[in-house]
Structure formats: C-alpha cells, structure tokens
C-alpha cells in the first residue's frame, strides 16, 4: 500500500484525487492547497482526506511514500527536488519542468535516491494512443512520414506559459511515444495578441534526419475546438480525432510510391486509396491507467509508460521552440550529431 | 464581342472553355493543345471551336482579342509575353508566373500596350470569399488577428512545382483579397518524400507588422481532404469550410479582450462565446463570374477583382516561401520598410 | 428545508442523489435499495446518507417530506400511492405510470392530499428545449406544421417495457411542452426481434386536427446513436441535434407558402431558404434544474414545468401506441371530440 | 448499334441524353419535347440530335429501336403502351406507372412483343447499393432484421404525386434489390400542408412475415437534406449515408443475440459492438451503368438489374401506401397468403 500526498487542488487536482482514490494499492493521505475555499471543497467531497495549506506538510510527512505535484510549472522543480531529496517517489504534472536543465537535475536526483520520478502525460494511457503506437510498431503504416496535429479552441489564456507549453505537451508526448527516432531540430513561430509577450497562437515543426516531419498548430483563439492528428506512413495513414465520441481512430488503407521516369527525367508518384478501418478502442479512463502505472512501477521498480525521460524530451522540444520563436522561426538544433550531413541550408548558402 | 483563344486543354481547360462559352459578350474561337487526343475530345464536345496544335496559331491570329493561358506555370511568362507584345489581352491561370521578376515584366508590358493582364484566382468569385471580405470590410470581426488555412488531401503530386505553389495560391489569394495590410516576411518549412526535391508537405507563416499572422498547411499526402480556413478578429471569428455543401461560412460571435492586473503584474484575458450565424451565400458558378469579369474589364478598361497586382503579390509570397524552405525555415523579408522597428530577434540577440 | 428520500439506486439513482445533494433548500436523508452491493456503493460515495433496504422505511418515515421514486415503471403506482397517502410530496421518474388510469388516480390523490406530484421529464430543463419552446411561443417559426424525432442507438433491451415506453417519453414530453394543441389520435407500428413480444423498433405518429403531425422513430437496434428532432413551421424550422456538443439548436430561416393557380387548376408551392442561426444555450445541468423546480414548487405550492398533467399526457400517448401496434397500426383515437369532422377515412369509406 | 429516342427533356432528360451519348453501342437519334425553349437548349448543346415536338415522331419512327420515357408519371402508361405496340424497347423513368394494373399490362405487352421493358431505378447501379446487396447476399450481416430510410429535404413540391411517389421509389427499389423476401402488407400515414390533398410528409412501414421490417420517412419540408439508410442484421449492420462524399457505406461489426432466462421468466439480450469497416466503392456514374445495362440487355435478350418486375413491385408498395394513408394508417395487405397465420390483430381482437 502506497501512501500518496497531492500538492495542488486546482483545475486538475480533483481528477487526480478521484483517480488515486480508485487506483489499486494506494491511499490518498493528504492534499496541500493554499486557497482555503479549495480546501473546503476537498473536505466536503472527500472527508477522509486531510487538507493542509503548506506543501511542506506533505513533503516532510514520513507517512507519505509518493508525492503528486499538480501546481504551476514554475514551481515543479523546487517542490519535486525537495520531495525527491526526502526519498519520496514523485509524479509531476505535464510539462515536467520549465527547462531541460531542471528536468535533468531531477532525473539525476531520482536515480541517486533510487525513487521513481514520473510525468503525467495522460494521453499515453488512452485507447486511441495505444492503438496508434501498436499500428506503428507492427509496421502496418509502413515507413512513417509525418505527424500533423491541430489542437485549437477558444481557451483559457495562461498567464505564465505560452500556448505551446500549455497545449503541445499532449501532442509531443504522443509523438515521442509512437516514434522512436530522435529529432535533430525544431522551427517555431507564433504571435501574441495580448500585451504580455505570451504567444496565444503558435506553430511548431520538428525535423528528423529520416525525412519524417512533425507539425503542431496550437491556439487559444479559435472559435471551434479541434483535436485532430494525422499520422501518415507510405502504406497506411491514421486520422485521430479526439472529439469523436466513438470513432476516434480511422485507419486509411492509403499510400503512395514513386519511381523514376528516366526518359522524361522526372519522378512518377502513384497514390492509392482503399478501405477505411475504424478499430474498437478500450475505453478505460486514461487518468486511472496513469495512476495505476505510477503505483505499480513504484512497487515493481520499473519505468512507466510516461517516464521522466519522455517528459524530459517533451521539455527539450518546448524549450527549443521558445528559442526559435524569439529568433523569428530560425531552426534550433536539438542534437547536432543527428543533423543530416548535407543540409538544405548548405545547398543554399554555397 | 470579344474573341477568345485558349492555350492548353488539360485538366482545367475544359472548365475554361465551358465557362467562356457561357460568358457574356465573348466567343471562343480556337483552343491550342499539343496532344491530339485532347484536341479530338474538344472537337467532339465543342464542334464549333477550332482546335490547333500550336499556341502561335492563337497568339498571332488577328481575329483573336484575348488569350487565356492554362499551361504549366513554367511556360506562362513566354506565352503571355508574346501575346501581350501582340496587343492581346491575357488571362493567366494561377500561379501567375514562376517568379516576381517575370510577373513584374508582364505587368509593365501590359501597361505599355494598354491591354488587360489578369490572373485566374477563381476563389475570389465565390460567394463564400465575397462574404468573408464583406465581413472584414464592414469591421464586423473587429480587428482581424489571424488567418489559419488547411488545404490537404491525397492528391496529384506535381512534377514541376511543390505543394505550396500548387495548393497555396488559392488561400494566399483569399488572404490578399480580404486583408489590406501588406506582410513584411514569411517563414516556411517542408519535406520531400519523393527523391525529386519537390516538397509534398509544407507549412507557411506570413508575418505582419500589426500583429496579424497567417498560416498555411498544405499537403498532397493526407488520407482525408480538408479545406478549412479560420479568420479571427477580436470581435467575431469566421470558420470557412469549403467542403460543406451549404454551410460554408459560419460566423462566431466570439471574441476576447484583455486588461492589465496591476496588482498581480499580469494580463487578464477574457473570452466570450455567443451565437453563431450561417449566412446564405450566392451560389453562382465562380469560374463564370471570373470569365465575365475578364470580358467586362476588357470592355470597360477596368481592373478586375483578381488583378495582376494581386497575382504578383501571391507569387511574391510563394517565391519567399521557397527561399525560407531552402534556408531551413529562416525568416525571409518581403518588405524591409515594414519590419517592426523593435523586432523580436533584436530582443533576443542583444 | 425539505427532507428527501429516494427509492431506487440503480442506473439513474446516483444522478438523482448527486443533484438533490446540490439542490437548494433540501437534504437527502435516506435512499432505499434492495440490492446490498448498490447500497454499499452509495455509502462509500455519500457516507452521510442513510441506506435502507425497504421502500417502506422511506414512505413511513415521518422526517421525510418528499419521496423520489426511481424504480421500474410497473412499481410506480403502488409506491407513489402509498407515499401520497402518507402526505408526502412525490417525484416520479418517467414514464409516470403503466396506464392513464393509474396516473389519474395518483393525480386525484395528490390533489386531495394537497401535496405535489411531479414527473421527472428531465429534457424540459435543458437549454435546448427551453429555446425551442421560446421560439414556438414567440411565433418565430410561424404556424408549426410537424415534429419529427429520431432516437435510436444500440442500447439496453428492456425486459419490462418496449422501446417506445423506454425512449419516446423524452420526445413526447418535449412535444407536449412546446405544442399546446392536443392530439386526437395516434398510429404506431413496431417489431420484436427477441421472442418476448417487446418491440425493439417502433414508429409512432401523433395526429392533430390543425394539420400538425408528430412522428417518432425509436430503436434499440441501431449501430449508430442518433438524437435528432426537426420542428418545422411555415416561417422557420429547427434542427435539434442533442449529440452536438455546442450547436444543439439550429434555426433555419426556411419556409414555404402556396397559392392557387386557377388557370392550370393546381396549387403552386414556393419555398425559401435563408440564413441559419445557432443560438447560444444555457448550459446548467438539466437534472439540477429539475430538482430545484421540485423543491421550489413544494415550497411555493406551484405547478412545476414537468407537471403530473404533462406526465399523464405522455402516458396517454404511450398507452394508445400500444393499442395501435397490437392492431397492426390502426388509428387509435385519443379524444373523439377533436377528430376533424370530415375525416380522411370518411372520404375513403363512402 | 441501337438507335434511341428520348421523350421528355425536362429536369432529368439532359442527364439521360448525356449518358446515352456516352453509352456503348447506341446512338441518340431524336428527343421529343413540347416546350420550344427546352428544344432550343438541346440543340445548342447536342447539335447532332434531332429535336421534335411530338412524342409520336419518336414512337412511329422506324429508325428508332428503343424509346426512353422521361415524362410525368401519369403519361407513362399511354406512351409506353404505344411504343411497345410498335415493337420498340422501352425504358421508363421511375416510378414505372400510376398503378399496378398499368404496370402489369405493359409487362404483358412487352412479353408478347418480345421486347425489353425496363425501369430506371438509377440507385441500383451505384457502388453503394451494389456493396449493400453483396453484404446481404454473402450473409455477412447475418439474418437481416430491418431497413430504415430517411430521405428528406426542402424540395420541389410536386403537383401530381405525393412525396412517397416522388422520393420513396429510390429507397423501395433498393429495398427490393437487396431483400429477396416479399412483403405482406404496408402501413402509411402522411400529411398535406398545402390545400391540394397531396402529402408533403409521409411515413411508410412495410411488413414481412419473417419479422423483417422496413420504414421510410419522406419529406419535402425539411430544412436539412438527409439521405440515410440503416440496414441491420443480427451479425452486422450497415449505415448508408448518400451525402458522404467518400464514406457512403459503413459496416458496423455490431449485433445482438438473446437467450431465455428461465428462472426470472424473461429474455436476456446481449449486444455487441466492434470495429467499423468502410469499404472502398466503385465510383462509375450510376446513370451510365443503367444506360449500358439497357442497351446490353436489348442486345443479349436478358433481364436488367432494374427490371420491370422490380419496377412493378415498387408501384405495388406505393399504391398500397396511398390506400393506407387514405384509411388513416390502416394496414393494407399486399399478399394475403404471406400474412402470418397468427397475426397480432387476432391476439388483440379475441
């Protein structure tokens, strides 16, 4: 039985409490939250949980085995660092931290303390994402060529992070979960429509040496809600529409191939469309799956699906996207050893 | 009565012939096409039109007043230049030319010869685009803040131009038609999945000094066809879905505003959602409207809706997008005098 | 403060408990449920509510002011009769009773005891249905001409009532709420695909002297879920799609008119299509609105929106639909004084 | 080579001319049409076809082998009878005739004259309907249990036939094409909203001894266009949405089964949902397929897919629907020997 303390009872906190309540082999002991009216709400619904006003009452509580941190991202590093230092297992809400440096420090500390550090990328526990990974892994799509994601709506403008840090972690975590190749660079552009220098619309491209490309379109300023992702291979392609109540994943038996037409000195491309298949998906609640994975991995000393390493890779891409936006869309290299040897820019600049 | 000759009877040619047949005050005299089987098809359907195998038979035919050029873009400049030099009025298919230099030379020649030079950006003649322009012009949207366009499908891979030159002219012409402000720069990224260095997926961002931003997502590699454009103002927003049979334009009474929270040193953003309005649109055939505008402007010596200047501005953005893609997404300046004086890159580089 | 007891903690019970918990000026004292595992579930989630195994412990509890009955319809009459006889206010789940006779007996008893008898037709408390009623009442639709409802899905086959008794009460209650005219007859047909003589597909037509007609298509056997209602007037028409997350109600500025063409001895019909308007709807939880209406009407001695008289009228139509199905679709008269004097059948039979 | 004459050049005539132009082994010789302005239109588009003002010029023209009749239904019998008597092959637009008596007379005459009599039920030649028939024939759906069709829009009110005669022939022909069992009765109800006694909304149920049921909802008075058909088996079910551009047919691996629960004296029903499959359909033009079938069956002396017998069965159901509407929805028997021996009405009437 793992004793859990949860720091932060804001928008997402009640969902975490409810699911750790329902998870196996664990017990929610206490919840820390500075706002008294939120604590009163907690006590009304969950009278058996102790509400405390200070995170320290959880971090330094010897009865607590694992700490769940659901506070603004700027506070993640400090809270998680203290908790890990105390030997607690830690689950961080997404995005993991404000910088790769912070994320790496936490990962090192967790390894040193031999405790579990995990990030809550909930989408990895949905039936839809699991099905997409299975389809990629089984090579049913052939060689995957692109991922194109649109996540827009008229939404809460955050005051601390831009729209990519708010919305893209979902999609980047899915990208990292289903694609093994590591990217070498990103480009991003965006715009601020409020006077606080926090982008409310942004576009991100992630580049890979194999020719795979990923693109993310995020906005808090759309009149319609769109949650759509395309994953294209040369054999089959997936349309993932998260707003569809039952037909979230459609697999198109659609592809293309090319050959050289030597005579006319050009490339001939053939495309093909066939049947569409809509697989039935498991419908268990994703957040409960995440909570169970956390508890199970503590007990079994294993790495979870939504590991701290995946969480770090998400932060790495977000951090680079910030740099690219500030440099007007210039390419920002993530891993220079992965950059294709003859880059396109060399071709141009020579 | 204007006598018209049409050069090119490929994919789009039959539509042009049919609509110039139906247009007012004009007569289709001859059609030039090198492929005999296409000419036979023409003669079967339109026995009164003369089919010729060489464009010169149209360009140098003294009976012909106006030449419509529907050939691959690489041939536009040479054919149009000859026809203008002969004093013919010229209608060019989109995109106008392969470069801004070519487009400017043609515009100068047409002015010198006092003939009409026009580009067929058909979408400007649809009820949907006209309605969008009216909504922007009447300031019903408030200050417009963004345009976001997705035009993807599993489509014919072109062998001479990339996906932006193939698909984006539609959307860029709409952008230029409804937004008066001139852009100062573009960023573009893309990927080639065939070995011919012609991008089949590309993303384009167009930047404006006022803070307006336009983004275009184009692909020949999507299993689903999407034709969707969002135009957002701070008062209202438009969703334009060209695949909807009747509800192509939805106007959302949706907006946002912000204020400074001095105490907490942050910006507060309020958003608002209200009713949606789906205006009835005129349903006349756009291509017929374009043909009538061409003939009418020849007769009245006026500039058409889809003018050569708008056509040039489309080519300018496409040309810059090519440069940006070749430089890995780097910002390419269109008009340096429009660049905001304190650029974001200065902030970063200092 | 009204003390409430709830009988039945099955599929719908938890929703009732949750909303009476949230409602104003009331307190849920006890819940009766025969199945021990359901009672344990109740106690886990709502530790302050007393679970009892016998309905009598609620009906005869002097502390209880109002009884909510959420049991199979066959038990409604007996339970409600006892509770009313004890002077309790009673809320019955839909459909009210198994027969009009039972419903009328309960209504008489409630009047005699001067207590409130109400039926939970939850849909009347949705923003969508309220908007439809407002549009009809304000005569924005003109003269209303038809209501056409489809409520189908692959659903729980009930073992006690057919698909009309299960699904149509929602739609018939909406019909009765928005249309004042009383129907004079019904026709119904249906089919049983299981060997228990309980129709799993059924079609119901309700006839009105003014020429208004209502039609209901109900099925437990559809692979897709459809919740669609059309309400047409001669000036405007409504499409109500309850599965749309935000655009549930669309108002079409669409109508038709007719005139006599004396010369050609025929009727000329003109139709007209115009804009579409999607009004913003209130999004408060309907069940909470219903609970508040129940409590409020007890306190104020008023009749609620979802009154026992409306509930009786729903049962009257359902009861007639049974007769019609058993007589192979024959028209069953509801109110003979409303039958048009020159009926169509007279025309035929003479 | 079959020489074809076409009588009637109204709404559908141009489509017939165009497709018989494109069909194999035939030649359109002449078109008869009383309205001079329609004839001028014909001559402009098809200068090689002879326009005549009187149907007799086609019927008695010895060069003509086959006559296509696309005139109002009331004239079908007389025209077809004359043409058959002259030994011409005849293609009739749907519905075949105004009565079963007329249809039977024509069938007898055609047999006697050894010429082909066919009805144009175009939908039978679509990829979607062919796929549905294949799925039923291969027993992939299991035992089919119901067909439910909705065909509504704001449409042309006809002045000679009601909405069932106008719209339902499409759906009834599909029903007859995919289901071999013969129906024993129909029920229909409807309403007239113009003062000409021609129903603009009508509902039709067709009853079968096996327990299969078909239902048709037709309206000229809907603000939205719906073209949707469900075909349900106990193993799989089909959703056919003719307005979907590419995904017209969806096959749901969805079914149900039942068993007897002896102890609780009730029937237990299990339902099951699984994957969805969207087959690729052939996309050849249906009307061309119909024209080719007509010519081919003349040449090969075979019965076409859309035979006169199927056309007669459609008229039989329409005729019975009229009777049922006039008798207020009463069941009208089509074939008394097919009526289940223990009818439901017996159960009620005893």
């Amino acid at each position: 039985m793992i004793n859990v303390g949860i720091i932060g009872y804001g928008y997402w906190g009640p969902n975490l409490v409810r699911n750790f309540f329902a998870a196996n082999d664990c017990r929610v002991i206490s919840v820390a939250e500075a706002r008294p009216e939120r604590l009163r709400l907690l006590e009304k619904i969950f009278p058996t949980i102790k509400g405390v006003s200070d995170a320290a009452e959880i971090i330094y509580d010897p009865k607590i085995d694992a700490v769940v941190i659901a506070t603004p991202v700027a506070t993640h590093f400090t809270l998680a660092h203290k908790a890990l230092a105390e030997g607690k297992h830690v689950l961080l809400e997404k995005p993991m931290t404000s910088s790769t440096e912070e994320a790496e420090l936490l990962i090192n500390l967790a390894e040193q303390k031999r405790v579990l550090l995990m990030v809550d990328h909930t989408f990895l526990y949905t039936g839809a994402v699991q099905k997409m990974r299975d389809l990629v892994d089984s090579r049913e799509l052939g060689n995957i060529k692109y991922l194109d994601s649109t996540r827009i709506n008229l939404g809460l403008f955050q005051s601390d992070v831009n729209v990519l840090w708010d919305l893209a972690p979902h999609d980047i975590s899915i990208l990292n979960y289903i694609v093994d190749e590591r990217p070498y660079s990103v480009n991003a552009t965006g715009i601020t429509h409020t006077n606080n220098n926090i982008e409310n619309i942004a576009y991100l491209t992630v580049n890979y040496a194999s020719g795979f490309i990923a693109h993310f379109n995020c906005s808090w300023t759309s009149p319609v809600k769109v949650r759509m992702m395309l994953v294209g291979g040369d054999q089959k392609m997936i349309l993932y529409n998260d707003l569809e109540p039952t037909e979230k994943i459609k697999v198109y038996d659609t592809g293309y191939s090319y050959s050289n037409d030597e005579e006319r000195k050009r490339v001939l491309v053939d495309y093909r469309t066939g049947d569409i298949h809509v697989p039935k998906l498991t419908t268990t609640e994703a957040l409960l799956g995440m909570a169970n994975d956390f508890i199970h991995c503590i007990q079994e000393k294993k790495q979870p699906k939504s590991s701290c390493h995946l969480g770090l890779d998400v932060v790495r891409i977000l951090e680079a996207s910030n740099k690219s936006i500030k440099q007007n869309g210039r390419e920002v290299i993530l891993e220079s050893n992965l950059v294709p040897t003859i880059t396109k820019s060399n071709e141009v600049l020579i």
Side-chain angles (χ1 to χ4, degrees), chain A residues 298-315:
Chain A
I298 290 172
Q299 292 175 323
E300 301 290 320
K301 299 192 189 305
K302 289 168 60 180
Q303 277 298 314
K305 204 178 266 199
S306 178
S307 73
C308 55
H309 306 289
L310 191 147
L312 164 61
D313 286 343
V314 171
V315 171

Side-chain angles (χ1 to χ4, degrees), chain A residues 12 15-16 18-19 120 122 125 285-292:
Chain A
W12 197 238
N15 295 326
L16 288 167
R18 182 169 49 80
N19 278 285
D120 171 17
T122 317
Y125 296 88
E285 185 168 1
L287 197 54
L288 180 59
M290 190 283 299
N292 276 324

